[in-house]
Amino acid sequence: HVQLVESGGGSVQAGGSLRLSCAASGDTYSRACMAWFRQAPGKEREGIAAIYTNDGSTYYADSVKGRFTISQDNARTTLYLQMDSLKPDDTAMYYCAADSAALVLGAPEAADFTYWGQGTQVTVS
């Protein structure tokens, strides 16, 4: 079983930065692929970044490429999302997710992920 707890959300002005964290526990096999998603009110959940924890390969949605960076700590227990050049359109609830076998070739798909955190709110004004 995997538990995911996000933190780091908040309010920021356009052009600013935030770093989200996701503390992960549980077996590492189930966390072979980890990702960040976001969901704005009235919109579908959007996959924005993913990382394969064994080799560190990363994937991004076009909407955040060049502005957001996904990373993990050396112990593979914390997932990060560095968000720079934030825009009002980035306002959403941000979730981290994990799965043992998600196949990510670009933006991650929510249906491919089994474990989810509760989310952290990001507001850009």
Side-chain angles (χ1 to χ4, degrees), residues 48 60-70 82-85:
I48 56 175
Y60 296 93
D62 288 343
S63 59
V64 304
K65 200 172 294 182
R67 299 188 300 123
F68 291 9
T69 304
I70 188 171
Q82 177 67 39
M83 305 186 295
D84 299 318
S85 302

Side-chain angles (χ1 to χ4, degrees), residues 28-29 31-34 51-57 72 76 79:
T28 54
Y29 171 79
R31 296 186 274 118
C33 185
M34 297 191 71
I51 185 169
Y52 282 97
T53 58
N54 288 334
D55 66 9
S57 54
Q72 60 182 345
R76 303 180 195 175
L79 181 72

Side-chain angles (χ1 to χ4, degrees), residues 1 20 22 24-25 28 34-35 38-40 52-53 62-63 81 83 86 89 110-111 118 125:
H1 185 66
L20 305 183
C22 173
S25 60
T28 54
M34 297 191 71
R38 66 185 180 186
Q39 189 166 18
Y52 282 97
T53 58
D62 288 343
S63 59
L81 185 69
M83 305 186 295
L86 283 161
D89 284 350
Q118 293 300 307
S125 59

Side-chain angles (χ1 to χ4, degrees), residues 5 9 34-35 37 40 60 62 67 74 77 88 90 106 108 112-113 122:
V5 180
M34 297 191 71
F37 291 79
Y60 296 93
D62 288 343
R67 299 188 300 123
N74 289 338
T77 58
D90 295 318
D112 293 337
F113 288 81
V122 172

Side-chain angles (χ1 to χ4, degrees), residues 85-114:
S85 302
L86 283 161
K87 307 173 183 179
D89 284 350
D90 295 318
T91 295
M93 185 72 78
Y94 282 71
Y95 301 89
C96 74
D99 196 84
S100 61
L103 177 62
V104 177
L105 300 176
E109 297 286 341
D112 293 337
F113 288 81
T114 302

